[in-house]
Amino acid sequence: MFLKDSRKVVLVGTGMVGMSYAYAMLNQNICDELVLIDVDKKRAEGEAMDLNHGLAFSGSHMKITAGEYKDCANADIVAICAGVGQKPGETRLELLERNLAVFRSIVNPITESGFNGIFLVATNPVDIMTHIVCSLSGFNPRRVVGTGTALDTARLRYLVGDFFEVDPRNVHAYVMGEHGDSEFVPWSQAMIATKPVTTICQEGDTQSCNAALGQIEVEVRTAAEKIIEAKKATYYGIGMAMVRITRAIFGNENSVLTVSSMLRGEYGESGVYVGAPCIVNRNGVQKVLELDLTEEELQKFKSSCDLLRETYAGLSL
Ligand code: NAD
């Protein structure tokens, strides 16, 4: 893989999330070739034209076209953002049935094209949809990556940085578990530089500090809901999270990102796609990092995994 010079991404689903990803890729000069596919061909064509008209103002030389599934044959990454958006009040898991049918019609022609790269999945419920792509494609799980809690983690780092008045880039903290209601923050593993936030809380007004962290966790968990209430959908943040993952893959970065990956014994869990800190490089998920979670945190992680495993087991795949 990646023996050729050009970096090629095929994007399936040119809706709000897909095009936010495409637009952010164009602005950050992430790939050399981008092919847009959508069930609504006219939409994909229009989006390709629109992006191409911005090329002269970007620092990128991307070749952008609307295409077909056969274009996946020599792609490095196929990103899937196709599906139906979350309605107000609808849980991510309720979206599942509608999105399962969509994925059946997408993954088969991609694998039939001879595609041999990395799948990046953003469609919700993302942990389950990523697992579905893995099963339908028969790919090695390390080459099927979901956006997981990458965006939730970015939201967390922003809010913790804001609270402690520290650059979010110096906040090392993760959201783990399902990208959804059972996600949680393992606070025992949250650091400002190398200092645990729990220690920082103990040095000041512990009670109000702990309450603030609890509030931050709720804010992270309910962020999507609030944005959907206000503007019907979320897309810029997830588009940028996808670009971050894409860059880690193309750059063979070995970056730690909380993507959704298949657990194979880590944290005592297996056979489940779930958000956890992973080392991401040109192989996709190179390794799932096992943090030293407390008993209570492990229990939360287990509950989240159980929920995902049960949901997945209920599907007729
Ligand atoms: P959207 O409705 O704007 O776009 C969906 C696109 O998929 C449309 O262009 C539609 O034509 C296309 N599509 C539908 N069926 C298709 C098929 N069979 N083949 C090809 N294309 C098909 O929706 P959106 O706002 O872009 O959201 C897309 C998905 O991303 C949703 O599932 C949403 O919940 C999810 N999402 C995930 C995250 C995350 O953190 N993982 C964040 C936000 C949204």
Side-chain angles (χ1 to χ4, degrees):
M1 233 192 317
F2 304 126
L3 292 177
K4 56 195 174 56
D5 293 336
S6 77
R7 301 159 298 172
K8 178 172 178 179
V9 176
V10 174
L11 166 60
V12 184
T14 58
M16 299 309 292
V17 170
M19 291 318 297
S20 300
Y21 171 57
Y23 185 61
M25 276 204 291
L26 176 59
N27 283 308
Q28 295 184 42
N29 198 8
I30 294 294
C31 64
D32 304 295
E33 193 177 349
L34 174 64
V35 178
L36 306 179
I37 298 178
D38 200 286
V39 71
D40 180 349
K41 283 191 177 175
K42 250 195 140 47
R43 180 175 193 164
E45 282 164 12
E47 292 291 3
M49 283 173 72
D50 201 1
L51 282 186
N52 274 322
H53 298 165
L55 265 180
F57 307 115
S58 83
S60 170
H61 299 283
M62 262 163 89
K63 183 181 169 211
I64 307 165
T65 54
E68 309 284 341
Y69 284 110
K70 61 177 167 39
D71 295 313
C72 297
N74 64 347
D76 302 297
I77 295 174
V78 170
I80 307 184
C81 305
V84 279
Q86 202 167 4
K87 293 177 183 168
E90 186 180 46
T91 68
R92 289 192 177 91
L93 294 178
E94 281 165 356
L95 275 175
L96 180 59
E97 286 303 326
R98 290 193 286 144
N99 279 328
L100 175 58
V102 170
F103 269 40
R104 282 192 195 282
S105 70
I106 292 173
V107 177
N108 292 347
I110 295 174
T111 46
E112 280 161 15
S113 76
F115 172 60
N116 191 29
I118 292 170
F119 277 106
L120 174 59
V121 183
T123 306
N124 276 322
V126 71
D127 303 288
I128 303 286
M129 298 317 294
T130 311
H131 200 160
I132 288 171
V133 171
C134 185
S135 301
L136 293 177
S137 66
F139 272 33
N140 183 325
R142 67 152 61 171
R143 293 202 285 122
V144 183
V145 184
T147 51
T149 45
L151 174 58
D152 317 65
T153 293
R155 286 171 176 151
L156 174 71
R157 291 172 62 186
Y158 162 71
L159 290 170
V160 170
D162 195 45
F163 178 68
F164 289 109
E165 295 184 3
V166 171
D167 186 334
R169 288 173 297 185
N170 299 119
V171 175
H172 303 285
Y174 303 103
V175 177
M176 290 179 66
E178 172 205 10
H179 172 61
D181 296 340
S182 68
E183 70 182 34
F184 71 101
V185 178
W187 289 108
S188 72
Q189 303 300 307
M191 315 276 166
I192 304 290
T194 58
K195 187 161 180 165
V197 296
T198 49
T199 307
I200 298 174
C201 276
Q202 277 158 15
E203 288 170 354
D205 180 345
T206 312
Q207 214 179 348
S208 70
C209 185
N210 286 339
L213 296 188
Q215 188 50 41
I216 285 174
E217 187 167 349
V218 172
E219 251 181 80
V220 169
R221 192 181 303 124
T222 55
E225 211 175 290
K226 280 198 185 133
I227 297 171
I228 288 168
E229 231 176 77
K231 52 174 265 190
K232 296 198 167 61
T234 80
Y235 32 89
Y236 298 132
I238 184 62
M240 292 177 76
M242 290 177 74
V243 168
R244 180 68 195 90
I245 297 166
T246 303
R247 185 159 5 100
I249 294 169
F250 278 132
N252 198 24
E253 286 182 0
N254 289 320
S255 293
V256 176
L257 297 166
T258 42
V259 293
S260 187
S261 69
M262 169 74 89
L263 295 192
R264 292 183 281 191
E266 299 88 355
Y267 301 98
E269 300 290 340
S270 53
V272 65
Y273 262 89
V274 66
C278 295
I279 293 177
V280 179
N281 66 16
R282 71 168 58 163
N283 298 319
V285 172
Q286 185 64 39
K287 186 178 165 51
V288 179
L289 286 183
E290 279 193 87
L291 304 181
D292 293 327
L293 302 186
T294 64
E295 271 310 312
E296 195 189 341
E297 289 162 355
L298 267 177
Q299 198 49 48
K300 286 182 184 171
F301 192 63
K302 183 178 182 315
S303 303
S304 202
C305 290
D306 286 347
L307 179 77
L308 289 166
R309 216 184 273 105
E310 273 169 37
T311 308
Y312 184 78
L315 299 172
S316 49
L317 269 157

